[in-house]
Amino acid sequence: MIDSRADIHPSAELDSSVEVGPFSVIGPNVRIGAGTRVGPHVVINGPTEIGRDNRIFQFSSIGEEPQDTSYRGEPTRLVIGDRNVIRESVTLSRGTAKGLGETVIGHDNLIMAYVHIAHDCTIGSEIIFSNATSLAGHVEIHDKATLGGFTLVHQFCRVGTFAFTSMGSALNRDLPPYCLASGNYARLIGINKVGLRRNGFSDVAIQGLHRVFIRGMRGRAGRESHLDAMLAETDIPEVRDLIHFVQGSRRGILRGGRQH
């Protein structure tokens, strides 16, 4: 299961079912769970923990030192869950001591070629990162978001659940859940209606989210009072999630654009 041309450090802990391709290098303090397949020419450094049934394609760099000038060799780590697909030339960095101390990636994510996930990012599950998406440090991406090709996300920004970005989007503020964003710099353009319908959201929930977008997110004037009023009058979980996300934003949300 491990190619004779691979270089595995004696302290690395690999389940007996792990596959490693030729010329891959796995360093110390690396743990890899059952069923994970590591292709050729992959470098994995530690401390890094990788769960079960992941597939890591050629030329990826996993668990390397963070690209942060404050880093001084502290034993920070990268944690990857189960069933992720990590395509060619992806780079995933460990955390920093001044940040969370770890970069965390959940389960069932599709991370396409040339994606970069920087130090101290927190990544949920069932997310699609299209080709060449790049996340700066300390970014949060919530479950089931989709980031279009060449999306850029500024440090400390958050992207909510079921959010969607078009290709080439550059996010310098938070993208709320269930919303669409596009442009450089990105602007909110509406609710992700197509994605929500495909995932079984009710018309009532989608209409409620649309009302929040129209009344409480396209402009700044009276936003807080509009959101408070809508929160008081709704029992739709998705609507409440959207309002709480906006109200809890420390970086501010993206500016609103046209109605979608």
Side-chain angles (χ1 to χ4, degrees), residues 68-71 74 76 95-101 119-120 138 156:
D68 188 296
T69 56
S70 71
Y71 183 72
E74 299 90 349
T76 58
T96 61
K98 71 175 184 180
L100 299 173
H119 59 87
D120 303 294
H138 312 277
F156 295 100

Side-chain angles (χ1 to χ4, degrees), residues 85-101:
V85 176
I86 300 171
R87 294 301 304 243
E88 298 84 353
S89 302
V90 166
T91 55
L92 307 177
S93 300
R94 302 198 307 271
T96 61
K98 71 175 184 180
L100 299 173

Side-chain angles (χ1 to χ4, degrees), residues 140-153:
E140 294 181 23
I141 310 292
H142 296 181
D143 296 348
K144 299 179 184 292
T146 298
L147 302 186
F150 295 89
T151 292
L152 306 176
V153 185

Side-chain angles (χ1 to χ4, degrees), residues 1-24:
M1 306 295 281
I2 296 177
D3 192 278
S4 60
R5 293 163 291 181
D7 184 356
I8 313 296
H9 193 275
S11 72
E13 299 179 27
L14 279 60
D15 184 87
S16 60
S17 62
V18 169
E19 299 179 20
V20 182
F23 309 112
S24 285

Side-chain angles (χ1 to χ4, degrees), residues 25-254:
V25 178
I26 299 178
N29 301 312
V30 173
R31 297 175 60 187
I32 303 179
T36 290
R37 292 182 287 167
V38 179
H41 298 280
V42 174
V43 176
I44 304 176
N45 282 319
T48 292
E49 298 180 14
I50 300 174
R52 301 174 59 94
D53 299 316
N54 295 282
R55 189 171 182 194
I56 304 173
F57 283 72
Q58 56 266 26
F59 306 113
S60 292
S61 176
I62 310 297
E64 192 50 84
E65 294 181 0
Q67 298 179 94
D68 188 296
T69 56
S70 71
Y71 183 72
R72 296 291 184 271
E74 299 90 349
T76 58
R77 66 178 187 158
L78 168 67
V79 179
I80 299 174
D82 303 330
R83 300 176 303 278
N84 296 286
V85 176
I86 300 171
R87 294 301 304 243
E88 298 84 353
S89 302
V90 166
T91 55
L92 307 177
S93 300
R94 302 198 307 271
T96 61
K98 71 175 184 180
L100 299 173
E102 62 183 11
T103 300
V104 179
I105 296 172
H107 312 296
D108 301 295
N109 297 296
L110 173 55
I111 305 175
M112 296 187 191
Y114 302 104
V115 167
H116 173 65
I117 297 177
H119 59 87
D120 303 294
C121 287
T122 302
I123 308 302
S125 298
E126 299 183 61
I127 298 163
I128 296 175
F129 295 90
S130 298
N131 296 67
T133 292
S134 289
L135 310 184
H138 312 277
V139 165
E140 294 181 23
I141 310 292
H142 296 181
D143 296 348
K144 299 179 184 292
T146 298
L147 302 186
F150 295 89
T151 292
L152 306 176
V153 185
H154 196 276
Q155 57 260 37
F156 295 100
C157 287
R158 300 180 300 155
V159 175
T161 186
F162 284 103
F164 185 98
T165 67
S166 65
M167 67 176 185
S169 298
L171 279 59
N172 63 342
R173 293 182 176 139
D174 291 348
L175 170 56
Y178 314 112
C179 291
L180 295 167
S182 180
N184 185 359
Y185 287 113
R187 298 179 71 89
L188 292 174
I189 60 173
I191 297 300
N192 183 16
K193 295 178 182 177
V194 173
L196 296 180
R197 289 193 179 107
R198 286 175 177 170
N199 284 276
F201 284 78
S202 69
D203 288 340
V204 170
I206 294 171
Q207 291 165 6
L209 292 168
H210 184 70
R211 284 194 295 271
V212 175
F213 179 79
I214 296 299
R215 292 175 54 191
M217 294 173 58
R218 288 204 296 171
R220 293 185 177 181
R223 173 183 289 170
E224 291 185 11
S225 60
H226 283 310
L227 292 176
D228 286 339
M230 286 185 284
L231 187 62
E233 68 188 23
T234 187
D235 59 357
I236 301 172
E238 295 85 0
V239 173
R240 297 183 69 85
D241 288 346
L242 174 56
I243 294 172
H244 285 310
F245 184 101
V246 174
Q247 291 177 328
S249 176
R250 291 178 293 176
R251 190 169 179 84
I253 67 168
L254 296 171

